[in-house]
Structures are given as structure tokens and as C-alpha cells.
Amino acid sequence: MAIGLMSGTSADGVDAALVRIASGPPPGVDVVAFLSVPYPDELQRRVLDAGGEPGAFTEEICSLHREIGDAFAGAALALMDSSGVPPREVDFIGSHGQTVRHLPVGGEGPKGRLLPSTLQIGDPAVIAERTGSTVVSDFRARDVAAGGMGAPLTPWAHRILFGRPDLPVAFVNLGGISNITYIPPANEKGLTGFDAGPANMALDALARKISGGRERLDRGGEMAARGRVNEEALASLMSHPYLKLPPPKSTGREAFGETFFNETHALFGRLDMAPEDRMATLTAFSAECIVHTIRAHFPADSPPAEFIAGGGGVNNHSMMDRLGEGLGSAPLVTSADRGISPDAVEAVAFALLGWAALRGEPANVPAATGAERAVVLGNITPGKNYLSVL
């Protein structure tokens, strides 16, 4: 039995999935239970500040590392309690942590050159100490060390969860950032994936701005549904340089965070757009980033037979409608139609990545991340059960 823990770029809380994994190939996965535990408002604000511009002082990052570890441990324990599974029955926990900086190609900082790097906080020692379970964490760093971008890391897991023996399919994750995975038929080469652009991250920021902080998101895409897309604004957004980059590529708040949102909000202001039209246009942009990336980079001679969507954006009906229209004749379904809650997919994926690490199996996909080679991902923090897990 394993638990996967995940918090994405929206920093809205911890998703926790309890799974049974049976050895394969491919491994069998049974999702036993799922729980999403929101961050307190003040903790979310501090996480967003730490991951934004200009960031946070080292003492704040140090404390948040512990506090997020406590939040992750609390989510794991709450999941065990709600599902009636005692801690002694959980063999290990795969924890993605909370990203506060992702610099896959480095850059220039105020004091000089920045090396390719990535930082996820959420102290695994705290999780191991509170739960007693062995913890696998810090998955992205090894791929970056191997010359990759540290993202996307989940295509390997998506193939296990959604691959078909006879036809190619695609998984579309609608988190804070959207990422897409092309999954060829079983035993065929060609598995790949990449980040498409912002999904919920900018939309959530706009919802907070419009509501004066009363709303965290556009629930169900209802505000967007009341508005009209401003085609001039949408065309301007689609000129973003990230969309012109070839794969492998990944992105996050560094490209689509505070500066992007402020520039976008200023553009909407110059065009004198109503709040509903702003939300409709930004929602359309999130969908069009995915459609554009699929058209530009998926194999034309073997297109997906279906698209499977997961992540919180599945609940945004305006985004899903726009996405379905853009994808054409191939059906767009949700991961729930394939047996896994859309909210649980990424947490389940990190449970699988933890399983791979403990078995010594490489789980990155160099075609997706740009790494020089396939490597075993994650650092292991022994729990009370470490010897029995080995």
C-alpha cells in the first residue's frame, strides 16, 4: 500500500491518494481512496509569495519547508484515518512537495548566472517522522542533474494508467500549468510529453482579483460562460514566446506568474473589457495553448484516438468546452471515465514514481524532459518500516 502526495503550481492544498500497486509488467494500480486537503488561506498566500517575484528570504523558505512538510504529513494521516487504513499498512509515501522555484534552463539573477535547478519544499523527514512511513521525495532534481528540465515527470506513470494496447491516446493534465502526454500503443516507442502553458494558475489569480479575494477560482467556469472572448486580446496572448519553443520544454510561475498576470490584466484594461469577458478570454487562452501545442508537436501520422483529461481544470466547463471544440473529432473524456478521479491522477502518479524509485527503476522520459539518459528519480528518507520495505 502506498500514498502519493501532490501540490501543484496553484498551491491550493495537498492531494493525497491511497493506492495498491501490484508488480507487472505493467504494474497494476488500484486507487483505494483520495482526499484533498486545502491549505489555510495564510499558508497559501505565503507559498505563492515564496514562489512569486521577488520570492522570500531564506528564513521564510526554511520555515515553509517544515510547515509544508507538516501539511503533507497531515494530509497523509487524514487519508489513512478517513479510509480506515492504519499507518503500519502504508509501505511508503511518494511526495512531490511544493515547487517554489523551477529554473530548468537557469538564467540570470541579480548576482550573476543561475544554474539549471529546481526547488520543491515539504520536508520529507517530517513526513517520515509523523507517519512512520518511508518517504520518496525530490523527484525533479535528479532529472535536472542528468541534463533534463525536471518536467514533465508523469508521462511514465500516465502510460501505466491510461495506455492502450492497440491505439495511441493522450493525457491532458489541467493543473496550474497544463501538460500533455502522448502515449503510443503498448510496447511501441514514442512516449513523450511537455508543458503547454498556463491552465488554472492565471485563472485563479483573475478570480481573486475580480472578487477582491473572496473567490479562489472561477467555479465551474461560470463567470467565463457569461462572458465573450475578445479575439484581439486572445491573439496577443497567443504571441507569448513560450508557445514558440520546441519540446522538450517546461514552464511555471517564472513564465506565467505575477508578471504575466499583471501584463495580461493591463492588456484587458486597455481594451476596456468587462470582468466576465476577461475571464472568458483567459479561459480560452488556457485551452488554446493546449490545442496549439498538440497541433504543432504531436505526430500527424499517428494522432491520439482519444484525449483523457485530468486535474482540477476538468471541473471548469468553459475550458473543457473550448478544448473539446479545438481538438476536433477525437473524443475528449475525463480520467473518471477511465476509473481515476481527475483530482487524484497526479497524486497517484507520484505514488507510482515512488514505487519505481524503491525498485531502482528509471522513470523519467528523456524524450519529454531532455535528460541525457533515463535515471532513477527521487531521494529516499527511511521510515520505521524501511528494512521491511526494502
Side-chain angles (χ1 to χ4, degrees), residues 211-236:
S211 69
R214 294 186 302 276
E215 297 290 342
R216 285 187 171 191
L217 70 163
D218 179 19
R219 299 185 184 279
E222 294 177 0
M223 178 178 287
R226 296 195 299 270
R228 298 181 63 182
V229 175
N230 184 302
E231 296 297 339
E232 179 182 352
L234 179 59
S236 178

Side-chain angles (χ1 to χ4, degrees), residues 3 16 33-37 71-85 130-131:
I3 288 177
F34 172 75
L35 185 67
S36 186
V37 181
F72 273 55
L77 291 168
L79 178 63
M80 296 179 211
D81 183 64
S82 65
S83 59
V85 174
R130 288 189 56 190
T131 65

Side-chain angles (χ1 to χ4, degrees), residues 217-225 283 312-321:
L217 70 163
D218 179 19
R219 299 185 184 279
E222 294 177 0
M223 178 178 287
T283 300
V314 167
N315 301 313
N316 186 320
H317 304 302
S318 295
M319 188 190 301
M320 289 289 287
D321 288 346

Side-chain angles (χ1 to χ4, degrees), residues 65-272:
H65 185 45
R66 169 65 186 259
E67 293 174 60
I68 295 298
D70 274 324
F72 273 55
L77 291 168
L79 178 63
M80 296 179 211
D81 183 64
S82 65
S83 59
V85 174
R88 67 178 180 274
E89 293 186 12
V90 175
D91 298 306
F92 68 90
I93 294 172
S95 174
H96 170 269
Q98 179 69 63
T99 299
V100 291
R101 273 293 184 275
H102 185 61
L103 305 172
V105 296
E108 288 295 327
K111 295 186 178 181
R113 179 174 172 238
L114 300 174
L115 295 178
S117 52
T118 187
L119 179 61
Q120 286 74 46
I121 60 174
D123 193 345
V126 171
I127 303 172
E129 192 64 26
R130 288 189 56 190
T131 65
S133 296
T134 293
V135 179
V136 186
S137 63
D138 204 21
F139 293 94
R140 299 190 185 276
R142 183 63 184 274
D143 184 81
V144 173
M149 305 192 78
L153 286 189
T154 47
W156 179 87
H158 291 160
R159 183 170 209 169
I160 293 170
L161 296 173
F162 303 115
R164 290 175 55 167
D166 53 345
L167 293 170
V169 298
F171 179 75
V172 181
N173 180 55
L174 301 172
I177 293 291
S178 61
N179 54 73
I180 51 182
T181 301
Y182 177 81
I183 308 170
N187 301 318
E188 291 189 16
K189 296 180 180 180
L191 177 66
T192 191
F194 27 79
D195 290 350
N200 302 316
M201 186 166 60
L203 300 179
D204 294 349
L206 183 58
R208 290 191 294 268
K209 182 79 170 181
I210 290 172
S211 69
R214 294 186 302 276
E215 297 290 342
R216 285 187 171 191
L217 70 163
D218 179 19
R219 299 185 184 279
E222 294 177 0
M223 178 178 287
R226 296 195 299 270
R228 298 181 63 182
V229 175
N230 184 302
E231 296 297 339
E232 179 182 352
L234 179 59
S236 178
L237 292 172
M238 290 300 295
S239 69
H240 194 283
Y242 180 77
L243 302 183
K244 299 179 176 65
L245 295 176
K249 60 179 184 175
S250 67
T251 190
R253 289 194 175 277
E254 295 72 32
F256 292 106
E258 185 178 352
T259 297
F260 169 79
F261 177 75
N262 290 338
E263 291 174 350
T264 299
H265 204 259
L267 169 66
F268 291 166
R270 290 194 299 272
L271 295 174
D272 195 26

